[in-house]
Amino acid sequence: VESVISKLLANADNDVELAERGIVYIDEIDKIAKKQNTNNRDVSGESVQQALLKLLEGADVEVPVGATNKNAMVPMTTVNTSNILFICGGAFPGLEDIIKKRLTSQGTIGFGSELRDQNVGELFKQALPQDFVKFGLIPEFIGRLPIVFSLQAMDEELLVQVLKKPKNAILKQYRKLLQMDEVDLEFEDEAMMAVAKKKAAAKKTGARALRSIIEEFMMDIMYEIPKDEMIGKVIITKDYIEGKGSPTILMRSNG
């Protein structure tokens, strides 16, 4: 686990003082939960939590300076982790069932009862430390991460932003590829919304699904368009995404 701190030190240009006031974000933290009902050695679960606990509590950790590989013979330096901010995130699949079970067992019948049929985002907001312990994180680890915050799932408008706004957005990549064949590519706003609404939101996988969905519709276009030198522009329409029509193709003018 010390590699977490060595990466922080590398990002701080090996300035120990700067690294000691840094921020470490650890993703996929739910993957180190204790494995339930297993007799095998738990090499990726509780033992990793115990090791991370030392960093979270604040300790002097010896890390290599400027090492690019694990076994390099490089000088070591000591980094104190007491003032480093640790943020851990994860999808926690199955946590909603644990919360639902707890809420249902506390539920009442009649006028005082609450509606228990809530979506995952709403359930995550009601997560308590004991839910994470049941999920498989050790109590000491939970105690060192006192602030719990749940994020909302991306809605259609946010998914459309992901399609077109980032520096290396998937639509920009396809536009550039077609520009190599001197063909302009345009996506209608309704078509992008149709991708987000019909496909990605339905799959419930967030932005990860967008690339595979766009590739599905662009496959034929990427193969067929370069064959015809007269094609100057392709417009992806809502009807094409919904399977009711085809993309609009504009030919080049001979002039």
Side-chain angles (χ1 to χ4, degrees):
V1 293
E2 283 79 9
S3 62
V4 171
I5 305 300
S6 63
K7 283 175 188 167
L8 179 66
L9 187 62
N11 280 322
D13 295 329
N14 296 325
D15 182 336
V16 174
E17 243 181 79
L18 192 61
E20 286 179 346
R21 299 195 308 275
I23 300 171
V24 172
Y25 176 75
I26 305 172
D27 202 6
E28 307 281 14
I29 202 73
D30 51 314
K31 303 296 184 289
I32 62 164
K34 281 191 285 187
K35 307 296 178 282
Q36 310 294 331
N37 310 320
T38 179
N39 299 320
N40 302 333
R41 281 181 64 221
D42 192 9
V43 290
S44 65
E46 188 176 349
S47 49
V48 180
Q49 291 182 51
Q50 297 284 6
L52 273 173
L53 196 59
K54 187 178 81 167
L55 301 186
L56 295 179
E57 287 176 338
D60 290 325
V61 183
E62 281 216 334
V63 290
V65 180
T68 49
N69 74 4
K70 195 175 166 187
N71 301 317
M73 296 294 289
V74 291
M76 305 289 277
T77 188
T78 304
V79 177
N80 186 284
T81 65
S82 301
N83 294 318
I84 293 173
L85 172 65
F86 285 90
I87 303 169
C88 301
F92 289 93
L95 182 66
E96 65 273 18
D97 298 326
I98 294 168
I99 299 168
K100 205 179 276 185
K101 205 170 178 183
R102 172 174 57 81
L103 289 175
T104 310
S105 67
Q106 292 172 359
T108 53
I109 298 170
F111 294 115
S113 65
E114 289 177 49
L115 187 66
R116 297 289 174 223
D117 190 20
Q118 299 170 329
N119 64 34
V120 173
E122 289 300 314
L123 282 168
F124 276 178
K125 284 180 187 172
Q126 299 176 61
L128 292 176
Q130 67 248 39
D131 300 325
F132 292 105
V133 173
K134 271 196 175 157
F135 185 82
L137 297 178
I138 58 175
E140 305 93 305
F141 191 75
I142 303 297
R144 285 287 162 194
L145 297 163
I147 299 165
V148 177
F149 192 81
S150 70
L151 301 177
Q152 290 178 318
M154 295 177 87
D155 60 12
E156 284 118 21
E157 283 173 20
L158 270 173
L159 289 168
V160 169
Q161 300 285 338
V162 172
L163 275 174
K164 59 181 186 180
K165 281 280 169 71
K167 191 177 171 185
N168 60 343
I170 180 79
L171 297 190
K172 289 181 184 174
Q173 290 178 29
Y174 273 111
R175 205 165 283 143
K176 199 154 194 176
L177 285 169
L178 278 175
Q179 274 171 0
M180 290 176 185
D181 293 299
E182 296 179 359
V183 177
D184 288 332
L185 175 68
E186 187 184 309
F187 261 80
E188 287 183 349
D189 287 345
E190 289 89 353
M192 283 189 277
M193 189 55 92
V195 167
K197 194 176 285 182
K198 291 263 178 205
K199 311 288 173 180
K203 279 191 178 180
K204 294 271 189 293
T205 47
R208 289 175 190 170
L210 291 173
R211 175 176 284 277
S212 59
I213 293 158
I214 294 289
E215 277 175 359
E216 185 187 317
F217 292 106
M218 291 299 296
M219 184 78 77
D220 291 341
I221 291 168
M222 296 305 290
Y223 277 107
E224 298 302 324
I225 298 300
K227 292 179 185 174
D228 190 340
E229 290 181 4
M230 294 307 295
I231 294 173
K233 187 172 188 175
V234 180
I235 302 168
I236 306 297
T237 59
K238 182 186 176 187
D239 285 349
Y240 175 56
I241 299 294
E242 292 179 345
K244 298 176 192 165
S246 54
T248 304
I249 292 173
L250 304 178
M251 310 306 278
R252 299 178 203 273
S253 58
N254 292 325

